[in-house]
Coordinates of all heavy atoms in Angstrom, one line a residue:
I137 N 114.4 -24.8 -30.8 CA 115.3 -24.2 -31.9 C 116.7 -24.4 -31.5 O 117.5 -24.8 -32.4 CB 114.9 -22.7 -32.0 CG1 113.4 -22.6 -32.6 CG2 115.9 -22.1 -33.0 CD1 112.9 -21.2 -32.5
N138 N 117.0 -24.3 -30.3 CA 118.5 -24.5 -29.9 C 118.9 -26.0 -29.9 O 119.9 -26.3 -30.4 CB 118.8 -23.9 -28.5 CG 118.6 -22.4 -28.5 OD1 118.9 -21.8 -29.5 ND2 118.1 -21.9 -27.4
G139 N 118.0 -26.8 -29.5 CA 118.2 -28.3 -29.4 C 118.3 -28.9 -30.9 O 118.9 -30.0 -31.0
L140 N 117.5 -28.3 -31.7 CA 117.5 -28.8 -33.1 C 118.8 -28.9 -33.7 O 119.1 -29.9 -34.4 CB 116.6 -27.8 -34.0 CG 116.6 -28.0 -35.5 CD1 116.0 -29.4 -35.8 CD2 115.8 -26.9 -36.2
K141 N 119.7 -28.0 -33.3 CA 121.1 -28.0 -33.9 C 121.8 -29.3 -33.6 O 122.5 -29.9 -34.4 CB 121.9 -26.8 -33.4 CG 121.4 -25.5 -33.8 CD 122.1 -24.3 -33.1 CE 121.2 -23.1 -33.1 NZ 121.3 -22.3 -31.9
I142 N 121.6 -29.8 -32.4 CA 122.3 -31.1 -32.0 C 121.7 -32.2 -32.8 O 122.5 -33.1 -33.3 CB 122.0 -31.4 -30.5 CG1 122.5 -30.2 -29.6 CG2 122.7 -32.6 -30.1 CD1 122.0 -30.2 -28.2
I143 N 120.4 -32.2 -33.0 CA 119.8 -33.4 -33.8 C 120.3 -33.3 -35.2 O 120.6 -34.3 -35.9 CB 118.3 -33.4 -33.7 CG1 117.8 -33.4 -32.2 CG2 117.6 -34.4 -34.5 CD1 116.4 -33.4 -31.9
E144 N 120.3 -32.1 -35.8 CA 120.7 -31.8 -37.1 C 122.2 -32.3 -37.3 O 122.4 -33.0 -38.3 CB 120.7 -30.3 -37.5 CG 119.5 -29.9 -38.2 CD 119.4 -28.4 -38.4 OE1 120.0 -27.7 -37.6 OE2 118.8 -28.1 -39.4
E145 N 123.0 -32.0 -36.4 CA 124.4 -32.5 -36.5 C 124.5 -34.0 -36.5 O 125.3 -34.5 -37.4 CB 125.1 -32.0 -35.2 CG 126.5 -31.4 -35.5 CD 127.0 -30.7 -34.2 OE1 127.6 -31.4 -33.4 OE2 126.8 -29.5 -34.1
I146 N 123.7 -34.7 -35.7 CA 123.8 -36.1 -35.8 C 123.3 -36.6 -37.1 O 123.8 -37.5 -37.7 CB 123.0 -36.7 -34.6 CG1 123.5 -36.3 -33.2 CG2 122.8 -38.2 -34.6 CD1 122.8 -36.7 -32.0
Y147 N 122.2 -36.0 -37.5 CA 121.6 -36.4 -38.8 C 122.5 -36.2 -40.0 O 122.7 -37.1 -40.8 CB 120.2 -35.7 -39.1 CG 119.6 -36.1 -40.4 CD1 119.2 -37.4 -40.6 CD2 119.6 -35.2 -41.4 CE1 118.7 -37.8 -41.8 CE2 119.1 -35.6 -42.7 CZ 118.6 -36.9 -42.8 OH 118.1 -37.3 -44.1
N148 N 123.3 -35.1 -40.0 CA 124.1 -34.8 -41.1 C 125.3 -35.8 -41.1 O 125.8 -36.1 -42.3 CB 124.7 -33.3 -41.0 CG 123.7 -32.4 -41.2 OD1 122.6 -32.7 -41.9 ND2 123.7 -31.1 -40.8
K149 N 125.7 -36.3 -40.0 CA 126.7 -37.3 -40.0 C 126.2 -38.7 -40.3 O 126.8 -39.4 -41.1 CB 127.3 -37.5 -38.6 CG 128.4 -36.5 -38.2 CD 129.2 -36.9 -37.0 CE 129.8 -35.7 -36.4 NZ 129.7 -35.6 -34.9
K150 N 125.0 -39.0 -39.8 CA 124.5 -40.3 -40.0 C 123.7 -40.6 -41.3 O 123.6 -41.7 -41.7 CB 123.6 -40.6 -38.7 CG 123.2 -42.0 -38.4 CD 122.3 -42.0 -37.2 CE 121.8 -43.5 -37.1 NZ 120.6 -43.5 -36.2
K151 N 123.0 -39.5 -41.7 CA 122.1 -39.6 -42.9 C 121.1 -40.7 -42.7 O 120.7 -41.3 -43.7 CB 122.9 -39.8 -44.2 CG 123.9 -38.8 -44.5 CD 123.3 -37.5 -45.1 CE 124.3 -36.5 -45.5 NZ 124.0 -35.2 -44.9
D152 N 120.7 -40.9 -41.5 CA 119.6 -41.9 -41.3 C 118.8 -41.4 -40.1 O 119.2 -40.5 -39.3 CB 120.3 -43.2 -41.0 CG 119.3 -44.4 -41.3 OD1 118.1 -44.1 -41.5 OD2 119.7 -45.5 -41.1
T153 N 117.7 -42.1 -39.7 CA 116.9 -41.8 -38.6 C 117.7 -41.5 -37.3 O 118.6 -42.3 -37.0 CB 115.9 -42.9 -38.4 OG1 115.1 -43.1 -39.6 CG2 115.0 -42.5 -37.2
V154 N 117.4 -40.4 -36.7 CA 118.0 -40.1 -35.3 C 117.2 -40.8 -34.3 O 116.0 -40.4 -34.1 CB 118.2 -38.6 -35.2 CG1 118.9 -38.3 -33.8 CG2 119.0 -38.0 -36.4
N155 N 117.8 -41.7 -33.5 CA 117.1 -42.3 -32.4 C 117.4 -41.6 -31.1 O 118.5 -41.6 -30.7 CB 117.5 -43.8 -32.3 CG 117.0 -44.6 -33.5 OD1 115.8 -44.7 -33.6 ND2 117.9 -45.1 -34.3
I156 N 116.4 -41.2 -30.5 CA 116.5 -40.4 -29.2 C 115.8 -41.0 -28.1 O 114.6 -41.4 -28.3 CB 115.9 -39.0 -29.5 CG1 116.6 -38.3 -30.6 CG2 116.0 -38.1 -28.2 CD1 115.9 -37.1 -31.1
L157 N 116.5 -41.2 -27.0 CA 115.8 -41.8 -25.8 C 115.3 -40.6 -24.9 O 116.1 -39.7 -24.6 CB 116.7 -42.7 -25.0 CG 116.1 -43.3 -23.8 CD1 116.3 -44.8 -23.7 CD2 116.6 -42.7 -22.5

Side-chain angles (χ1 to χ4, degrees):
I137 293 164
N138 293 328
L140 168 66
K141 294 174 204 140
I142 305 165
I143 300 177
E144 259 175 336
E145 222 170 86
I146 296 173
Y147 178 66
N148 288 339
K149 274 196 204 133
K150 198 182 170 196
K151 297 281 180 237
D152 201 355
T153 302
V154 181
N155 288 298
I156 302 168
L157 178 133

